[in-house]
């Protein structure tokens, strides 16, 4: 602290802020050095790589699953092919299309037993 000696008034104390600024600058430099020396600079991200020419193509599901769900006594049963709702009128065409678009296929009937 410094004391003012000017004038005939009472003594007035003033804070000398120069040492405080010096300490602040030293702390800023220390924090900058610590941050620069830290090894982790963020999260690791795994970037997808393009497929190589030697890798096999993805496997296509060759199964065709037909499900018939009975809704009630006087209602027509619901029909699903591979989890897609299909009308009974479109069953033949849809199965033929699925068989034509797949090289080999296995036709399975899936349902629940009560």
């Amino acid at each position: 602290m410094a004391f003012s000696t000017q004038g005939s008034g009472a003594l007035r104390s003033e804070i000398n802020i120069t040492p405080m600024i010096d300490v602040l600058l030293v702390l800023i430099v220390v924090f900058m050095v610590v941050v620069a020396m830290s090894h982790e600079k963020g999260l690791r991200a795994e970037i997808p790589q393009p497929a190589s020419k030697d890798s096999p193509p993805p496997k296509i599901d060759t199964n065709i699953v037909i499900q018939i769900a009975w809704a009630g006594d006087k209602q027509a049963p619901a029909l699903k092919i591979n989890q897609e709702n299909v009308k009974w009128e479109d069953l033949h065409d849809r199965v033929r299309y699925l068989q034509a678009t797949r090289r080999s296929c296995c036709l399975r009937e899936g349902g629940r037993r009560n």
Side-chain angles (χ1 to χ4, degrees), residues 26-40:
V26 168
L27 286 175
I28 289 174
V29 169
V30 167
F31 285 131
M32 288 173 57
V33 168
V34 167
V35 168
M37 294 184 76
S38 69
H39 295 287
E40 290 194 34

Side-chain angles (χ1 to χ4, degrees), residues 57-62:
K59 185 177 179 181
I60 298 173
D61 187 20
T62 58

Side-chain angles (χ1 to χ4, degrees), residues 28-90:
I28 289 174
V29 169
V30 167
F31 285 131
M32 288 173 57
V33 168
V34 167
V35 168
M37 294 184 76
S38 69
H39 295 287
E40 290 194 34
K41 303 253 187 224
L43 299 175
R44 290 185 54 109
E46 293 185 19
I47 301 171
Q49 301 297 322
S52 65
K53 294 178 182 177
D54 297 335
S55 65
K59 185 177 179 181
I60 298 173
D61 187 20
T62 58
N63 293 334
I64 300 173
V65 179
I66 298 176
Q67 294 176 329
I68 301 172
W70 299 102
D73 290 338
K74 297 183 180 181
Q75 296 177 359
L79 177 66
K80 288 186 177 184
I81 298 178
N82 292 341
Q83 301 297 326
E84 285 184 38
N85 290 326
V86 178
K87 295 181 182 178
W88 282 95
E89 299 83 31
D90 300 334

